[in-house]
Amino acid sequence: MRLAVFDLDFTVWQPEMYHLYGTPKLVPVDSYKFSDEEISESQTREDGHLLSDRGRIPIRIFPGARQALSEIQKMPQVEAAVASKTDEPRWAKVCMEELVIDEVKTTLADCFGDRIEISYGSKVNHLKRLQRKTGVAFADMCFFDNEQGNIRDVSGALPDVKCYYTPDGMTQQAWEQAKSDLVCRDI
């Protein structure tokens, strides 16, 4: 594995952008009764603040996404990328710039760098653009998405890409399976 490609909405984070009431903004943790789980899954660059919409819905990174991205940061031969059709690309950018995956405040934007494809259309085209941008062969890519249609499209058009359906968000199990599958593929 050299490139792990993630959908954003309901794969890396929840809720999906179309469920939000307005642009995500930093709010003090003590300004509302957030649960301990919401606080732990919603860490931002600014201590004591969460990212939420006007309705006080916090944007939360799935634990499996946090684990995968944290591990990728320690794997010099592997990079992370985004393939997303989110309805609100500007809001997604805010989320990537503010949400962090670890105690040293590594943001999602730090994890993905310039390997971000956000636009309407087929995820196949997203992955093709990422392949041209990175030079990583499709056989060295894995793709995580919560929508079966995207998994089916990519699997059909790019059979060398190993795809993982994550209907309930990115899980630690999906990440462990991808690592196992792609290590076996390299042997």
Side-chain angles (χ1 to χ4, degrees), residues 9-70:
D9 286 354
F10 219 76
T11 299
V12 169
W13 63 51
Q14 64 174 319
E16 297 199 33
M17 294 292 103
Y18 77 89
H19 286 149
L20 297 181
Y21 300 104
T23 305
K25 296 189 184 322
L26 288 172
V27 297
V29 171
D30 58 6
S31 69
Y32 190 73
K33 293 185 179 190
F34 295 108
S35 71
D36 290 342
E37 183 180 39
E38 288 172 328
I39 292 169
S40 72
E41 294 177 357
S42 305
Q43 298 297 307
T44 64
R45 293 185 308 152
E46 190 155 339
D47 288 333
H49 288 76
L50 299 182
L51 196 61
S52 88
D53 69 355
R54 288 189 304 237
R56 301 286 188 199
I57 297 171
I59 293 87
R60 302 160 58 178
I61 298 176
F62 284 103
R66 177 173 277 112
Q67 176 187 345
L69 293 167
S70 294

Side-chain angles (χ1 to χ4, degrees), residues 8 17 41 92 100 116 127 131 159-160:
L8 292 175
M17 294 292 103
E41 294 177 357
V100 299
I116 298 172
L127 270 73
Q131 192 282 323
D160 287 341

Side-chain angles (χ1 to χ4, degrees), residues 5-8 81-85 115-118 123 126-127 130 143-145:
V5 182
F6 299 86
D7 172 47
L8 292 175
V82 168
S84 175
K85 295 191 280 188
R115 298 169 305 277
I116 298 172
E117 289 294 327
I118 299 177
K123 296 284 180 98
H126 289 83
L127 270 73
L130 287 166
F143 172 59
F144 302 92
D145 199 299

Side-chain angles (χ1 to χ4, degrees), residues 2-3 79 114-115 127-141:
R2 291 195 41 232
L3 190 66
E79 296 181 309
D114 67 346
R115 298 169 305 277
L127 270 73
K128 286 180 177 179
R129 286 191 297 270
L130 287 166
Q131 192 282 323
R132 285 192 298 273
K133 187 182 288 187
T134 64
V136 174
F138 291 122
D140 293 325
M141 291 184 192

Side-chain angles (χ1 to χ4, degrees), residues 48-120:
H49 288 76
L50 299 182
L51 196 61
S52 88
D53 69 355
R54 288 189 304 237
R56 301 286 188 199
I57 297 171
I59 293 87
R60 302 160 58 178
I61 298 176
F62 284 103
R66 177 173 277 112
Q67 176 187 345
L69 293 167
S70 294
E71 287 185 24
I72 290 168
Q73 291 295 299
K74 298 172 184 137
M75 302 166 84
Q77 75 282 11
V78 180
E79 296 181 309
V82 168
S84 175
K85 295 191 280 188
T86 186
D87 295 87
E88 296 290 346
R90 288 178 297 128
W91 296 1
K93 185 177 180 190
V94 169
C95 292
M96 286 188 286
E97 290 172 349
E98 294 296 341
L99 292 170
V100 299
I101 61 164
D102 55 29
E103 308 78 36
V104 294
K105 306 288 185 192
T106 304
T107 66
L108 292 173
D110 296 332
C111 294
F112 300 126
D114 67 346
R115 298 169 305 277
I116 298 172
E117 289 294 327
I118 299 177
S119 63
Y120 289 110

